[in-house]
Amino acid sequence: MKSIKTTRHVSIDSISLNKLKETLNQNIEIQKSKVKVFNIHDKVSALSISGDDKYLAVGTYEGSILVYNLKTSLLKKNFDKVHSKVVQTIHFLADNMTIISGSTDSQIKIFKIINNQGDCELITSFSVGANLQIYQIKATRDNKYLLVATDRATVKVFDIASQSLHHTFDLIGCNIVYSLAISGDSRYFCTGTDDQSIRVFDFEKRRMIKEIKRAHDKAVLCLAMSPDNTYVISGSDDKSIRIHDIRNYSMVTTFNNAHDDPVTSVKVSENGKFVVSSSKD
């Protein structure tokens, strides 16, 4: 992940990409003195920061999970090759103490930070299904359910406490579910898929509300929801970033060629004013 770019939320205003690059470069210069470096010998495949900004969880291509103290930059625990394949996704729950990872080895693993010193242990692990590849995981706001995006056109929902399967959402017309985004109230969630579409589901009623067809020209690799649950931001294999209004399922704006390579991640700031994207470029 070599490139990171940022843009204002287009519901407020639109800014040219050149201006965005200029603004970001200025911000980077200002923040250089505050940068912390973590020496990780494996290739990093996934990252997550706890909500209280105390810990960093890292997943690697070798299947390892590393937990760092953000303040001291010290490695607190290395779960060496705890997965047999690449760690595709890693996620802190809202309690800031529970870490959940998902891998192409079909395994979900749950870790717990057990004290203020940051000591961490593996609590449990379970399979989401034979030979299923996991692309992303997201937890509901109440930490009760875990949504798992797979390569079999399904989103599986597990009860986190019991690790039992709660429900399976079957998506018609696609093969791979690459990305997930959940509304702040956990009432609905969105999927990004290999058929260029974004689908919106009602979580409680267990049904699809709307399919935004051809949301991109290629696969939808990443999604993020605005804090007010009004917009979903998508990044794609077509190198663009697009912002969609969930209220009427319309596209608000698009940043074509936002990156030189596929957009692999998008995040929205807590105030809803900024979108940050990353790519292999």
Side-chain angles (χ1 to χ4, degrees), residues 2 16 20 22 29 49 57 67 82 118 125 152 172 183 186 195 197 225 264-265 281:
K2 298 179 181 178
S16 70
L20 296 177
E22 182 181 312
E29 290 298 323
I49 296 175
V67 182
V82 68
S125 63
R152 300 283 180 82
I172 299 172
S183 62
S186 299
D195 65 349
S197 299
M225 194 82 71
T264 56
S265 180
D281 60 6

Side-chain angles (χ1 to χ4, degrees), residues 40 55-60 64-69 73-82 90 99 111-115 117-123:
I40 301 170
Y55 302 106
L56 168 69
V58 178
T60 76
S64 300
I65 302 292
L66 300 92
V67 182
Y68 289 87
N69 182 303
S73 302
L74 293 176
L75 176 65
K76 300 304 298 183
K77 186 70 175 182
N78 179 5
F79 295 95
D80 187 45
K81 297 181 180 178
V82 68
I90 194 164
I99 305 165
F111 308 84
K112 191 82 170 183
I113 296 172
I114 57 177
N115 55 38
Q117 284 70 48
D119 295 321
C120 189
E121 60 185 30
L122 175 63
I123 301 299

Side-chain angles (χ1 to χ4, degrees), residues 191-204:
T191 61
T193 54
D194 64 333
D195 65 349
Q196 310 162 23
S197 299
I198 295 172
R199 294 169 174 83
V200 185
F201 291 85
D202 186 303
F203 185 76
E204 292 185 356

Side-chain angles (χ1 to χ4, degrees), residues 82-86 102-109 132-133:
V82 68
H83 285 281
S84 61
K85 295 182 179 180
V86 59
S103 166
T104 53
D105 65 3
S106 307
Q107 293 288 312
I108 294 288
K109 297 189 183 289
L132 278 180
Q133 293 190 18

Side-chain angles (χ1 to χ4, degrees), residues 188-217:
Y188 60 89
F189 69 92
C190 301
T191 61
T193 54
D194 64 333
D195 65 349
Q196 310 162 23
S197 299
I198 295 172
R199 294 169 174 83
V200 185
F201 291 85
D202 186 303
F203 185 76
E204 292 185 356
K205 294 181 180 179
R206 300 182 178 183
R207 63 182 180 86
M208 188 175 74
I209 303 171
K210 179 69 176 180
E211 180 178 1
I212 306 174
K213 294 184 177 181
R214 292 198 59 83
H216 281 273
D217 297 327

